[in-house]
Amino acid sequence: MSKFNVVVIGKLFPSALEKLEGTCEIKVWDKAERIPDPLLYDWLQDAEGLISRGDIQVNEELLAHAPRLRVIAQSSVGYDNINIEDCTKRSIPFGNTPEVLVEATADLTFGLLLSSARRIHEGWDFVQQGKWAVGSNLPFGVDLYGKTVGIFGMGSIGKAVVRRAQASGMKVIYHNRKQRHDDAETGASYVGFEHLLTQSDFIVVLAPLSDETRNRFGKAEFKKMKPTAYFVNAARGAIVDTEALYHALVNQEIAYAALDVTVPEPITPDHQLIKLTNVLITPHIGSATVETRRKMSELTAENLLAGLKKQSLPKCVNEEVNY
Ligand code: 8YV
């Protein structure tokens, strides 16, 4: 039997690659930089499956170069780089990796909140730089207990953050387009966007990036927040107007920002945000644990294989064209 032609952008775990080997002929681009378009288009000419990555824009322009494509999979829950409508028009199912990354991403999100509130990372710098040894004092952090955390974009990761916040004695409010049906179960209260901005001690962004959420946090929004507010973004950098955030931090309109996602990504050390002392930035590691990335990688391979065999993808975004 002839093998399926597959293009893989990014690194797969060996256990995921094993699932593909045997049935697939694989072309891999695993460098950090973006694959040049001419090479990608050339590879896609006879590809039946594509494993994409966040830096590849999958839209009609790309799909026009992939006449044999029957499935796309990606190792992420977010799919703002994929034009789902364009895939659906060509009856190509797209598979992502929700659920398996929930707890790891919630840990990192809450970790950012905790580390910035209690100055954990600054404390380590302080010790390393010998400031403790010469009797200096690290500025105090702030309590979590009794404070209000406001979640923008309450989905499964948000719910997992709620559990962590409640364990620390925090009150949780949230804002979504629509109120959820399980508030009684989670113990989080639905509020309007304005209320979230003005009443939260910690604002946590977990919404997907869409036309509606792009630049949702700008100058006006930061002005409405408490001057003591901590702003945490573990979703997508583009939900925030980076320039506005910078000015809000410099002008002390808010107290602190802890970000796992930025614009641009990667952010370089010469960026103005990095020079501030009231910022903590991690390099988009929300789901980056060995166990979680392995599960994501395996699920990506399973989604791809199912599509190649014209079988139902275990996790499909455009179910209407799932096999
Ligand atoms: C991804 C993410 O793992 O799942 C997402 O949407 O942002 C991350 O957890 C990362 O983009 C690498 O694919």
Side-chain angles (χ1 to χ4, degrees):
M1 202 185 86
S2 68
K3 291 185 171 184
F4 297 113
N5 290 317
V6 166
V7 172
V8 176
I9 309 296
K11 288 191 175 80
L12 285 179
F13 265 72
S15 54
L17 259 182
E18 268 166 35
K19 288 181 190 285
L20 303 181
E21 281 162 2
T23 47
C24 302
E25 192 64 50
I26 309 170
K27 290 194 172 83
V28 185
W29 178 271
D30 56 6
K31 297 182 188 159
E33 65 260 29
R34 205 179 168 284
I35 182 170
D37 282 343
L39 179 63
L40 176 60
Y41 294 166
D42 181 49
W43 283 5
L44 285 175
Q45 270 312 311
D46 60 356
E48 291 148 295
L50 165 67
I51 293 188
S52 54
R53 193 171 65 177
D55 60 340
I56 308 286
Q57 294 302 314
V58 175
N59 50 26
E60 181 49 36
E61 191 188 339
L62 176 142
L63 295 174
H65 293 273
R68 300 181 63 202
L69 206 59
R70 58 171 84 153
V71 59
I72 304 172
Q74 184 166 291
S75 203
S76 67
V77 63
Y79 49 88
D80 42 281
N81 62 311
I82 311 282
N83 187 322
I84 294 295
E85 235 175 78
D86 287 353
C87 297
T88 306
K89 270 190 210 145
R90 287 180 173 263
S91 299
I92 299 173
F94 169 74
N96 66 342
T97 60
E99 294 167 25
V100 291
L101 50 59
V102 165
E103 299 300 332
T105 309
D107 280 339
L108 193 275
T109 307
F110 199 70
L112 282 175
L113 188 155
L114 181 58
S115 187
S116 49
R118 296 306 312 275
R119 309 280 190 269
I120 296 174
H121 58 292
E122 286 175 39
W124 173 224
D125 281 351
F126 192 82
V127 173
Q128 275 193 315
Q129 289 164 14
K131 292 187 186 164
W132 191 24
V134 296
S136 309
N137 291 315
L138 182 70
F140 291 146
V142 295
D143 276 346
L144 301 192
Y145 187 82
K147 298 281 173 60
T148 296
V149 55
I151 299 182
F152 178 75
M154 177 78 88
S156 356
I157 300 171
K159 280 169 66 177
V161 170
V162 175
R163 283 191 273 112
R164 287 154 176 81
Q166 286 166 341
S168 292
M170 304 179 89
K171 177 186 162 194
V172 187
I173 56 179
Y174 76 95
H175 181 73
N176 277 9
R177 260 180 308 180
K178 278 200 224 136
Q179 181 167 7
R180 296 178 57 97
H181 297 294
D182 54 2
D183 292 356
E185 183 198 313
T186 57
S189 312
Y190 179 75
V191 296
F193 188 49
E194 190 85 5
H195 184 108
L196 187 99
L197 296 176
T198 57
Q199 302 305 311
S200 302
D201 298 301
F202 296 86
I203 293 190
V204 174
V205 179
L206 286 168
L209 176 63
S210 65
D211 290 344
E212 223 177 303
T213 61
R214 189 176 296 277
N215 285 327
R216 193 73 169 90
F217 291 85
K219 210 169 162 184
E221 286 69 30
F222 288 118
K223 269 201 192 324
K224 285 179 188 159
M225 293 178 193
K226 296 184 182 183
T228 50
Y230 280 61
F231 181 77
V232 180
N233 186 3
R236 285 292 181 268
I239 297 175
V240 179
D241 174 345
T242 306
E243 193 65 26
L245 172 62
Y246 172 79
H247 288 289
L249 288 163
V250 169
N251 300 328
Q252 286 160 6
E253 285 166 10
I254 64 168
Y256 218 100
L259 315 169
D260 187 45
V261 288
T262 52
V263 173
E265 256 180 46
I267 195 163
T268 48
D270 56 345
H271 194 282
Q272 57 182 5
L273 261 188
I274 299 213
K275 311 215 183 300
L276 300 182
T277 51
N278 49 350
V279 176
L280 163 62
I281 299 179
T282 49
H284 201 148
I285 50 171
S287 64
T289 67
V290 176
E291 298 89 337
T292 295
R293 282 289 171 88
R294 181 183 299 119
K295 285 186 210 153
M296 290 166 72
S297 203
E298 288 174 1
L299 178 52
T300 303
E302 284 157 22
N303 273 334
L304 190 88
L305 263 186
L308 289 170
K309 295 179 185 162
K310 299 199 173 169
Q311 292 167 1
S312 182
L313 277 63
K315 295 289 168 201
C316 182
V317 171
N318 46 355
E319 270 299 341
E320 63 272 41
V321 292
N322 200 359
Y323 293 104

